[in-house]
Amino acid sequence: MAMSRAQIMTAAIQHFNDNPAASMAQLAEAAGISRATLHRHFSSREELMVALGHRAHEQWEQVQKSAGVIEATACGDSEALSKALAALLAGLVEVADAYGFGLTDYAMAVHPELRRRADELEEREVAFYAAAQRAGLLRADLPARWVSNTVYGLLVAVRESLRRGDVARRDVPHLLLTTFHH
């Protein structure tokens, strides 16, 4: 049975989370396909990584939307911001768990289109954190971008803790929220 592009991407995500430096040959073997089949879908590792980066950004944006980040930022209501913050952080845990390898992948960080999209999504969160600061939910004495960078650092910690088995998967949202707030 032939694997679809989406199935290959799913297999690649799983393998990259175990081995971020995996070669195309290793990915093909892990997916149970030939290198030729893999190369029919993705001509290079970079092309695969870019496709995975776009997919991760789609998930990131979906988390922002489902958390109501834009609406909460616009209204500035403390309760709406608090609910959106909890939903955003919980959703980001899911994305970091699924696409953790991309959090520290250099190629994904420097690709122009991926960088532009990440900057756009990050700016939305920086504005959200600034609104949460104005509402008294987050410390106002820190730059909002620092808050955003702290969340990113905590997501890297989440990914590493899960990968190493240092924390139970079910405990991660609570650990992230309490660490972030305190």
Side-chain angles (χ1 to χ4, degrees):
M1 181 170 114
M3 286 186 85
S4 70
R5 182 177 173 96
Q7 290 171 316
I8 291 171
M9 289 173 69
T10 299
I13 289 167
Q14 293 168 349
H15 196 68
F16 276 136
N17 278 327
D18 290 336
N19 179 8
S23 68
M24 291 292 275
Q26 291 168 322
L27 290 169
E29 183 180 337
I33 58 175
S34 69
R35 284 180 66 194
T37 298
L38 180 58
H39 281 286
R40 275 195 294 279
H41 290 278
F42 302 98
S43 63
S44 66
R45 187 177 190 281
E46 180 182 352
E47 182 183 338
L48 174 58
M49 292 301 286
V50 169
L52 294 175
H54 284 295
R55 193 173 181 186
H57 287 153
E58 290 168 10
Q59 293 296 315
W60 183 5
E61 182 174 35
Q62 185 55 47
V63 165
Q64 289 180 346
K65 286 180 179 179
S66 65
V69 167
I70 294 171
E71 297 81 3
T73 302
C75 80
D77 175 67
S78 179
E79 187 175 325
L81 287 161
S82 181
K83 286 180 183 178
L85 181 61
L88 175 67
L89 293 178
L92 290 176
V93 166
E94 298 299 321
V95 175
D97 189 18
Y99 296 92
F101 64 91
L103 290 170
T104 56
D105 185 83
Y106 178 75
M108 290 178 77
V110 299
H111 185 274
E113 178 58 25
L114 292 178
R115 183 73 256 152
R116 183 200 63 73
R117 186 72 176 118
D119 288 346
E120 177 183 300
L121 293 166
E122 182 182 11
E123 288 305 316
R124 188 177 295 156
E125 287 181 15
V126 169
F128 171 73
Y129 296 135
Q133 287 174 312
R134 288 189 298 275
L137 297 172
L138 299 176
R139 286 179 49 182
D141 62 325
L142 300 172
R145 185 160 309 281
W146 175 259
V147 174
S148 177
N149 289 337
T150 300
V151 170
Y152 181 83
L154 288 172
L155 291 173
V156 172
V158 162
R159 187 233 183 224
E160 286 303 304
S161 293
L162 287 171
R163 190 175 66 81
R164 292 181 182 173
D166 296 336
V167 296
R169 174 74 190 83
R170 69 181 179 280
D171 295 337
V172 170
H174 176 73
L175 288 171
L176 177 65
L177 280 170
T178 57
T179 302
F180 178 71
H181 280 296
H182 303 291

